[in-house]
Amino acid sequence: MRSDVVWWTDEKIAFYERASRYSSFHRDLASLIEEHIGKADTIMELGAGLGHVTSILYNDGYTISAYDSCKNAVDYANRREGRELIALSDAYSLKERADVVLMLFFGSIREKIDLDYFISLARKKIIYVISRHKGNPYSTRIDRREEISSLLSGCGMKFSIIDTMLHFDQMLKEEEVEEYFNISYGNNDIPKLEKTNDGQYPLVFKNRKEISIFIIEKEEKK
């Protein structure tokens, strides 16, 4: 994606930040990732977006660099953190290498050429996280778990998969509901939302994110 393409609009950022603030999604995801990296490992995150997991890993003592191609996201994340958390760069133009390459809901490992490039950036492993789009009936995207598994197996890669579900619930005002579903899903078929005890945000969309975490080892099978 070119840096002049605004995928992270101000509206998307506002909803995403609120969901992150009201849920433990990013903390829970970071904890799962930390089970597969060592404190001495260097980490490079591609497509870091708003950098919530980046920030958690950094604050937990890991050495991490992060990149994203959307200037709006990079500028926002760096303002929020008060430092340069994320650098503006296309993932396919990087020369840097790290022990662990982290790809969270980013990138396309659909062909061997993609896999070869991302593997070339990692000294030890890639941690690749995808949404399976099963816990949310409003998503029109497909579950690519089997497709990715077949590619990795066909290329002789050693890998493991962790399947789990994490909540990324969206708190909403009544007047925001239609806008949220249009922005997030392009869908006017709005479900019945649960009520909260929060005076500012009286409604919540229970967003159950079923995810697969691929731990792809650098060394090929013998």
Side-chain angles (χ1 to χ4, degrees):
M1 182 184 293
R2 304 192 324 266
S3 60
D4 60 337
V5 175
V6 182
W7 192 87
W8 281 102
T9 64
D10 291 344
E11 292 79 11
K12 281 184 180 179
I13 288 173
F15 283 126
Y16 195 91
E17 284 288 291
R18 190 188 307 167
S20 180
R21 187 168 64 249
Y22 275 83
S23 76
S24 62
F25 177 79
H26 290 112
R27 175 68 268 180
D28 293 341
L29 180 56
S31 295
L32 290 170
I33 290 168
E34 288 179 0
E35 294 178 10
H36 300 276
I37 52 179
K39 281 291 187 181
D41 287 337
T42 57
I43 305 167
M44 178 167 58
E45 184 177 359
L46 309 181
L50 301 185
H52 291 283
V53 172
T54 321
S55 180
I56 291 169
L57 293 176
Y58 176 84
N59 290 328
D60 284 352
Y62 291 91
T63 301
I64 183 168
S65 57
Y67 302 91
D68 198 277
S69 62
C70 180
K71 188 176 186 300
N72 208 37
V74 170
D75 289 346
Y76 181 90
N78 291 344
R79 285 197 304 271
R80 186 193 66 218
E81 297 293 315
R83 61 185 181 86
E84 186 174 309
L85 176 72
I86 304 171
L88 183 66
S89 180
D90 187 291
Y92 284 90
S93 65
L94 297 172
K95 304 300 181 185
E96 179 184 347
R97 297 180 71 227
D99 295 323
V100 179
V101 170
L102 192 59
M103 301 168 66
L104 309 181
F105 313 106
F106 160 80
S108 177
I109 300 182
R110 299 192 182 193
E111 299 180 9
K112 186 177 184 299
I113 190 171
D114 302 314
L115 178 61
D116 288 345
Y117 173 72
F118 293 123
I119 282 289
S120 74
L121 302 178
R123 296 189 186 93
K124 294 182 178 180
K125 67 181 69 171
I126 293 174
I127 299 179
Y128 182 43
V129 182
I130 64 168
S131 175
R132 300 189 65 193
H133 308 296
K134 287 182 174 294
N136 184 345
Y138 307 99
S139 176
T140 59
R141 289 175 288 180
I142 64 172
D143 178 3
R144 294 184 49 245
R145 181 185 185 278
E146 297 307 320
E147 175 188 349
I148 296 166
S149 297
S150 295
L151 173 64
L152 294 174
S153 296
C155 292
M157 300 302 300
K158 179 182 177 182
F159 68 98
S160 58
I161 306 173
I162 303 162
D163 292 325
T164 189
M165 188 278 289
L166 301 176
H167 273 272
F168 195 46
D169 298 340
Q170 183 65 60
M171 305 287 284
L172 294 164
K173 300 177 182 178
E174 291 185 10
E175 62 270 23
E176 295 177 324
V177 172
E178 184 175 346
E179 179 188 19
Y180 169 74
F181 280 92
N182 278 329
I183 289 174
S184 300
Y185 305 106
N187 195 332
N188 290 319
D189 185 17
I190 299 170
K192 183 177 180 179
L193 304 181
E194 296 184 24
K195 293 187 177 181
T196 73
N197 294 320
D198 190 295
Q200 187 176 9
Y201 303 113
L203 299 172
V204 60
F205 172 50
K206 293 288 187 177
N207 190 0
R208 299 168 177 85
K209 290 182 73 71
E210 292 195 21
I211 66 174
S212 291
I213 304 172
F214 288 80
I215 312 297
I216 307 168
E217 303 294 340
K218 174 77 172 188
E219 185 175 301
E220 296 184 354
K221 291 181 179 178
K222 304 299 183 183

